[in-house]
Amino acid sequence: MCGRYVSTRSPEDLTRLFHVTDWRPEEALAPSWNVAPTDEVYAVLERTPRDHGDATASGDGTTPAHRELRPLRWGLVPSWADDPKIGARLINARMETAHEKPAFRRAFTRHRCLLPADGFYEWQSLEDRATGKTRKQPYFIHPADEQVMALAGLYAYWRDPRVKGDDDPDAWLMTCTILTTEATDAAGRLHPRMPLALTPDHYDAWLDPRHQNADDVRALLTQPAGGHLDARPVSPAVNSVRNNGPQLLDEAAA
């Protein structure tokens, strides 16, 4: 799974790396070395122009899609949910089954995104030889070449029934989830699952809202992006969502 990750790239860097054509400086997010569920995160996505707010973002191919950089809340809230709190339990979706699960299947065919990350955290249970007790040791897992990871994600719109007008920005909540796959490389030594990173040659097809055939979309997810992953033990300070800063990435004794 993926329960915490790092996202420190500037919006200027992300718009260049992902060929974004539409982003709003007033929506810029601060860099985070401890991204946690329900935080706002950067997402790259493609949508058709909106004439009457988010409700018309159909992605039906009748008008050209714009590639956007948008802040979304991490933890997907399906459109049918009664309460947005459900999103805290839907931060990940399994690559193998997302296309058929009620919470994710609509987003899988219509609302896909990329979530830029520097790397992610995973925890390993270790036994303290002195006390015999077990503790959780966090590790930071990242590309060895320090390139940005483009995590495959899904997003959804949730309509807040307490807000009357569809044109009110507060009426719509946009949320996202991260697809996971079987872990490989360094991640596989720590946990059986890991976030799925896509290769650049799959970005366009994954983001294109006109691609709505589930089998064709699943074909893009045959294996995670290539490249060597490194893992290093880091301080347990990352366990608290209140802690943030580049010091969380400093190597610590395992």
Side-chain angles (χ1 to χ4, degrees):
M1 65 173 296
C2 178
R4 300 281 179 83
Y5 69 96
V6 177
S7 179
T8 66
R9 306 291 178 121
S10 71
E12 291 82 5
D13 284 346
L14 295 178
T15 55
R16 176 180 54 82
L17 288 169
F18 293 99
H19 307 292
V20 169
T21 59
D22 185 0
W23 76 282
R24 304 168 187 172
E26 66 272 17
E27 294 182 338
L29 301 175
S32 178
W33 290 263
N34 198 2
V35 178
T38 73
D39 284 350
E40 284 200 323
V41 299
Y42 278 131
V44 178
L45 52 92
E46 289 189 359
R47 299 193 297 172
T48 54
R50 303 177 301 277
D51 296 326
H52 302 287
D54 289 331
T56 64
S58 63
D60 59 6
T62 57
T63 53
H66 292 175
R67 183 166 297 186
E68 306 177 10
L69 181 69
R70 294 289 302 272
L72 309 183
R73 195 174 81 173
W74 184 19
L76 189 137
V77 180
S79 61
W80 44 259
D82 294 327
D83 192 319
K85 291 181 181 178
I86 191 177
R89 305 197 306 270
L90 298 177
I91 63 170
N92 292 156
R94 293 177 67 92
M95 176 199 78
E96 299 87 349
T97 58
H99 67 287
E100 59 188 14
K101 295 294 184 180
F104 305 123
R105 60 191 178 197
R106 176 177 171 82
F108 189 83
T109 56
R110 299 176 67 92
H111 297 146
R112 298 178 298 275
C113 62
L114 296 172
L115 303 170
D118 302 341
F120 60 97
Y121 295 104
E122 194 51 77
W123 283 259
Q124 185 180 47
S125 295
L126 298 176
E127 181 179 338
D128 189 313
R129 295 179 181 177
T131 66
K133 296 182 178 180
T134 299
R135 64 182 177 88
K136 292 282 191 177
Q137 171 62 54
Y139 286 80
F140 177 57
I141 303 170
H142 62 98
D145 58 7
E146 304 297 339
Q147 294 297 310
V148 67
M149 301 181 75
L151 307 183
L154 310 174
Y155 71 96
Y157 301 98
W158 182 76
R159 176 66 167 85
D160 189 339
R162 299 170 299 177
V163 181
K164 292 184 178 180
D166 283 348
D167 291 338
D168 188 329
D170 293 333
W172 298 95
L173 175 66
M174 291 183 68
T175 59
C176 62
T177 189
I178 296 174
L179 291 180
T180 65
T181 185
E182 292 185 3
T184 60
D185 206 9
R189 298 194 295 270
L190 302 173
H191 195 275
R193 305 290 297 180
M194 64 177 284
L196 174 64
L198 292 184
T199 55
D201 59 314
H202 284 170
Y203 292 174
D204 291 347
W206 177 253
L207 294 176
D208 192 339
R210 296 171 299 180
H211 292 172
Q212 298 183 7
N213 181 285
D215 290 336
D216 291 344
V217 174
R218 290 182 67 199
L220 303 174
L221 305 177
T222 52
Q223 60 183 12
H228 180 68
L229 293 175
D230 279 347
R232 63 174 178 268
V234 294
S235 168
V238 73
N239 295 348
S240 172
V241 297
R242 294 187 296 271
N243 296 326
N244 212 320
Q247 72 278 2
L248 294 180
L249 302 186
D250 292 344
E251 187 165 3

